[in-house]
Amino acid sequence: MGHIWLAQQPRGAKIEFLTARGDDLPVELYAEAVDEDTSIVPVTHVCFKNGFRSNVREISRIAHANGALVLMDDYQDCGTRPVNVKELDADFYVTGSLKYLLGPSGVAFLYVRKELIPLLEPKISGWFAQRNPFAFDVRHLDLAPSARRFESGTPPIPNIYAASAGIELLREVGLENIAVQIRCPASNRRSPRPGNTD
Amino acid sequence: MGPLVVLQSGNVEAIIERLAAENVICSGRHDGLRISFHVHNTRNGVGTVLELLKKNRKLMEPGANAA
């Protein structure tokens, strides 16, 4: 995810990376780094390198207290347990079908907090972002009022069929059941880490 | 805790190959052997992985070379 933010530097963004303490990225580090100049706090829910799980709810509290938005990247966890973006108070949530959703590459998902949707205008757009894609009116940008306004061009349709198959399978088993099943092998011989109750 | 477990390894590429030869598919990130669990994995599977890691212990040690 770092690449995306670094690419915004020519637009004036100043990027600050937090440095983990060993394998942990405790909430205190966010509290020290986030201030009223912070625009957005991107949080990796589960780290791709070591499996560390971030306390998104607490990070959201810190960010919102400073007027910053929170983007939660759930790529390394989505499909392994139920997730509730509203409980975690994330403003944006992104994930994709490639990993634990048992799907292919090329299909990604974005959730945007409902109140934010009309306030945000994408800088990259396409006909699927329009209120009526089939208007084919290339002279007017008429963004959809829903989160569809963040879509772009024609989606990768074959990949969507494959992604649906994975998601349907997971829904059939049930995310609650999957969470229990995964906790079993993943915690088989793991010694508890102080302060990490999950 | 996430659904993935990462173990430090001195030769990630070699251990991934050894595991793959036994139909255990993992990935590597830097010096970490990343084992990702999903609904189809069981405790027996964990036992199999641990046995394979024990057998290839040398590849897990720091500075290990492919044997």
Side-chain angles (χ1 to χ4, degrees), chain A residues 48-51 53 76-77 79-81 99-100 170 181 184-185 188-189 198, chain B residues 1-6 29-30 34 36-43 46 50:
Chain A
F48 77 98
K49 275 198 288 194
N50 61 11
R53 179 181 296 275
Q76 301 290 348
D77 202 43
T80 70
R81 56 165 68 188
K99 292 180 180 288
Y100 296 91
L170 296 176
Q181 177 68 14
C184 177
N188 196 13
R189 287 169 175 83
D198 193 6
Chain B
M1 189 189 75
L4 50 99
V5 173
V6 183
R29 292 292 183 275
H30 302 304
R34 190 171 78 178
S36 303
F37 294 101
H38 213 317
V39 65
H40 43 267
N41 297 118
T42 61
R43 275 183 191 269
V46 176
L50 289 175

Side-chain angles (χ1 to χ4, degrees), chain A residues 14-91:
Chain A
K14 287 182 187 154
I15 315 302
E16 184 179 347
F17 284 91
L18 301 185
T19 304
R21 287 186 190 149
D23 282 333
D24 288 11
L25 197 56
V27 165
E28 302 89 83
L29 295 181
Y30 287 87
E32 285 165 20
V34 175
D35 59 26
E36 58 194 13
D37 292 329
T38 308
S39 298
I40 190 162
V41 181
V43 183
T44 301
H45 193 197
V46 169
C47 177
F48 77 98
K49 275 198 288 194
N50 61 11
F52 176 76
R53 179 181 296 275
S54 295
N55 184 343
V56 178
R57 195 194 312 238
E58 190 55 25
I59 294 164
S60 296
R61 194 191 61 72
I62 293 164
H64 292 152
N66 284 278
L69 298 169
V70 172
L71 182 142
M72 173 181 172
D73 172 1
D74 200 29
Y75 226 111
Q76 301 290 348
D77 202 43
C78 182
T80 70
R81 56 165 68 188
V83 62
N84 186 327
V85 284
K86 289 184 178 162
E87 273 177 20
L88 297 172
D89 211 16
D91 300 291

Side-chain angles (χ1 to χ4, degrees), chain B residues 50-61:
Chain B
L50 289 175
E51 283 304 315
L52 288 168
L53 291 179
K54 207 187 282 180
K55 215 167 117 185
N56 294 284
R57 188 181 295 167
K58 286 208 180 322
L59 294 175
M60 300 300 285
E61 288 168 2

